[in-house]
Amino acid sequence: MLTTKEYIEIEEQYGAHNYHPLDVVITRGEGVWVYDVEGKRYLDCLSAYSALNQGHVHPKILKAMIEQAGRVTLTSRAFRNDQLPLFYKELAEMTGYGMSLPMNSGAEAVETAIKLARKWAYQVKGIPRYQAEIIVAEGNFHGRTTTIISFSTEPAYRDDFGPFTPGFVAVPYGDALALERAITPNTAAVLIEPIQGEGGVIIPPEGYLKKVREICTRHQVLMIADEIQTGLGRTGKLLACQHENVRPDLVILGKALSGGFYPISAVIADEPILGLFQPGDHGSTFGGNPLAAAIGRAALSVIREEKLVENAAVQGEYFLEQLSEIPSRYVKEVRGKGLLIGVELKPEAGGARRFCEALKDHGVLAKETHQHVIRFAPPLIIDRSTIDWALDHIRTVLTM
Ligand SMILES: *Cc1c(COP(=O)(O)O)cnc(C)c1O
């Protein structure tokens, strides 16, 4: 085995530099823990941006994956397979939406929702062809395709990548009035995150999602919630919109839909909307393959059987409360819902990066999001004593 330094040198030489990772080279994961090539153990407080809600290498999902991989992995949707129907059914039973459409990455599912909203606009709402507009929020993160970065407001995601896809309008996040004012007869949909994860764990004002829902209903506009990061238990509800008893027309899922084993995403909605897609309208060679479906079924069953939604609520409340009590001269605000927590540092703290590096040296892996926010989002299987262990180290680093 090579040393940490050697692995990093090879990676920097041969790989594109489109990330700025912490210098830890992980070779093994188990539950909430990962181990680097030197044998050092770390608590994973990022969970691969919430893809690992079930923890690393969950034995039940691993078993389902190995069994299915030995049977059949890919049929393409040209033929049917015996896993996809059951994945559809179990996803519907769990989320309360009638139908779903499986894709691979989160960005592909966002693209799917955009296409569906546009088709609905022309076929159902009667918007003149190719005039449909979708309202998004400033500070959004929905993925990295050329269309999606067209409506990003983050220069780093967008600059140098135009020309941009038209048909999107950005309004301030959390401001329902601004959103309503942006609606025109050509508005097809509103696309928002219930909490902006990549934007810095930005929680909108209480009642915002409810107002967005009312506005969308009043103007015959689809409400699309990107729950790729907030969904599947992360915030202490199965879907973060449920904190305000809001039911969007379309919900986009990804990340934890496979528990970290495989790229699986989906758009979920009811038949009057998702039923608009006809053969040929949309597709993916790998989307809905039997390996993905078997893994997705196991990932959902772990969320249900291990009561991860409930655990996220309980442990998240404790973690947030304890983090808020750390007497640090660097901290501006601690905010979060469930186990999606952001610690925003004051500008004079010199950026979150150096704190993440110090945390790493203490065996806690967290990542800065934007310049001044440390995100804490451990797997939802975490228990109280592990949180206490993490808090000891976080306290040390934030009061250094
Ligand atoms: C991660 C993420 C995406 C993109 O998912 P990928 O699988 O990286 O394409 C989209 N929206 C939100 C809210 C995300 O957190």
Side-chain angles (χ1 to χ4, degrees), residues 94-375:
M94 200 158 161
T95 62
Y97 284 90
M99 289 182 133
S100 57
L101 194 165
M103 296 294 285
N104 311 285
S105 70
E108 281 176 294
V110 172
E111 292 272 355
T112 303
I114 291 169
K115 284 175 68 176
L116 190 55
R118 287 178 171 177
K119 182 154 194 192
W120 175 88
Y122 305 130
Q123 300 229 329
V124 178
K125 188 167 176 179
I127 292 174
R129 212 168 192 201
Y130 304 152
Q131 299 300 306
E133 290 165 2
I134 295 175
I135 299 173
V136 299
E138 290 169 6
N140 69 72
F141 182 80
H142 297 288
R144 302 294 201 156
T145 65
T146 42
T147 285
I148 293 171
I149 59 97
S150 293
F151 56 83
S152 172
T153 56
E154 171 62 43
Y157 300 164
R158 188 183 146 90
D159 285 1
D160 283 334
F161 301 123
F164 301 111
T165 307
F168 300 94
V169 180
V171 298
Y173 186 61
D175 184 345
L177 216 70
L179 188 142
E180 184 157 27
R181 274 199 296 263
I183 290 179
T184 73
N186 290 341
T187 304
V190 169
L191 167 63
I192 47 165
E193 299 154 86
I195 294 173
Q196 289 185 330
E198 297 312 298
V201 191
I202 309 294
I203 302 170
E206 181 113 26
Y208 173 67
L209 298 172
K210 222 180 182 74
K211 282 187 206 149
V212 172
R213 176 66 276 182
E214 283 164 14
I215 292 165
C216 286
T217 304
R218 192 156 5 100
H219 294 272
Q220 201 198 357
V221 163
L222 296 177
M223 179 179 180
I224 308 174
D226 180 346
E227 295 243 19
I228 291 171
Q229 186 159 159
T230 54
L232 302 175
R234 174 51 58 187
T235 70
K237 296 273 185 193
L238 184 68
L239 302 175
C241 285
Q242 292 168 345
H243 285 288
E244 296 195 7
N245 290 316
V246 161
R247 189 174 190 272
D249 299 295
L250 278 77
V251 176
I252 309 167
L253 297 175
K255 297 204 164 114
L257 199 46
S258 77
F261 281 82
Y262 201 84
I264 306 175
S265 63
V267 173
I268 58 176
D270 288 330
E271 193 279 334
I273 298 169
L274 209 34
L276 287 172
F277 271 151
Q278 299 298 312
D281 280 359
H282 195 56
S284 160
T285 302
F286 278 82
N289 72 70
L291 183 59
I295 292 168
R297 295 179 64 199
L300 290 176
S301 85
V302 168
I303 293 172
R304 217 170 32 236
E305 283 166 15
E306 300 190 9
K307 302 203 180 335
L308 297 187
V309 181
E310 295 81 350
N311 196 53
V314 172
Q315 307 302 344
E317 191 182 330
Y318 176 72
F319 200 4
L320 183 72
E321 175 195 296
Q322 294 294 309
L323 284 168
S324 307
E325 281 172 13
I326 296 175
S328 168
R329 63 199 162 102
Y330 304 114
V331 174
K332 184 174 159 199
E333 188 186 36
V334 181
R335 54 178 179 257
K337 241 184 199 147
L339 281 168
L340 181 56
I341 299 174
V343 174
E344 182 168 346
L345 305 176
K346 295 174 186 164
E348 58 265 32
R353 176 81 187 189
R354 69 185 181 98
F355 293 89
C356 291
E357 277 164 3
L359 282 168
K360 182 201 77 171
D361 295 335
H362 280 263
V364 176
L365 294 183
K367 192 70 168 63
E368 74 275 10
T369 173
H370 279 226
Q371 210 186 331
H372 300 294
V373 180
I374 311 171
R375 170 175 28 197

